[in-house]
Amino acid sequence: MPITLVNPKELPKIDAYHQVSVATGAVLIHVAGQVSWDAETNTIGAGDLAAQVEQSYLNVAKALAEVGATFADVVKLTVYVVDWTPDKMNGFEDGVARAAAKLGVTPAAPGTLIGVAALASPEHLVEVEATAVLD
């Protein structure tokens, strides 16, 4: 396996992700930020953060699958959330859990959550981008 996920002893252990990923594979994959669109650009879960997180993660999985990768190959996730406040964490975590249940895997790569004022389309509440590595 080209990826090892690590939680250094000197850093806090976060349940939702690992602090470090070590990639030794040869193919680097960058997935553009995915929002909660379906294939026809209809927004799934308008106004519902958990539903949009779920769909965005599922879209990342679809993009990865197209090139022969899965969430097991992801070395870094970056998530942008509109008007982020800590009280939105439950909705965010619920969406990730729902996507994980559908995918049969828990995304655990290092991740960064960034609060933003807006995304490209006003109906989108979240955007998820990924970097993955394959042998």
Side-chain angles (χ1 to χ4, degrees), residues 5-6 35 38 52 57 70 74 79 85 88 92-93 119 125:
L5 299 175
V6 178
V35 294
D38 64 11
Q52 289 198 22
Y57 272 72
T70 70
V74 172
V79 180
T85 56
K88 294 183 179 181
F92 175 77
E93 289 176 341
L119 295 169
L125 304 175

Side-chain angles (χ1 to χ4, degrees), residues 14-124:
I14 309 297
D15 291 334
Y17 62 88
H18 288 78
Q19 296 282 8
V20 178
S21 64
V22 178
T24 58
V27 177
L28 187 60
I29 301 162
H30 296 278
V31 177
Q34 297 298 305
V35 294
S36 63
W37 276 335
D38 64 11
E40 289 78 37
T41 66
N42 298 306
T43 298
I44 305 300
D48 182 340
L49 179 62
Q52 289 198 22
V53 168
E54 176 184 5
Q55 185 65 39
S56 297
Y57 272 72
L58 293 175
N59 288 348
V60 167
K62 291 172 189 175
L64 291 167
E66 185 66 24
V67 296
T70 70
F71 265 100
D73 302 305
V74 172
V75 295
K76 177 75 166 74
L77 288 168
T78 304
V79 180
Y80 304 91
V81 181
V82 174
D83 296 328
W84 175 258
T85 56
D87 62 308
K88 294 183 179 181
M89 184 57 86
N90 286 339
F92 175 77
E93 289 176 341
D94 182 44
V96 172
R98 288 166 26 186
K102 286 184 178 178
L103 296 169
V105 63
T106 300
T112 300
L113 191 151
I114 302 168
V116 296
L119 295 169
S121 296
E123 71 271 12
H124 294 140

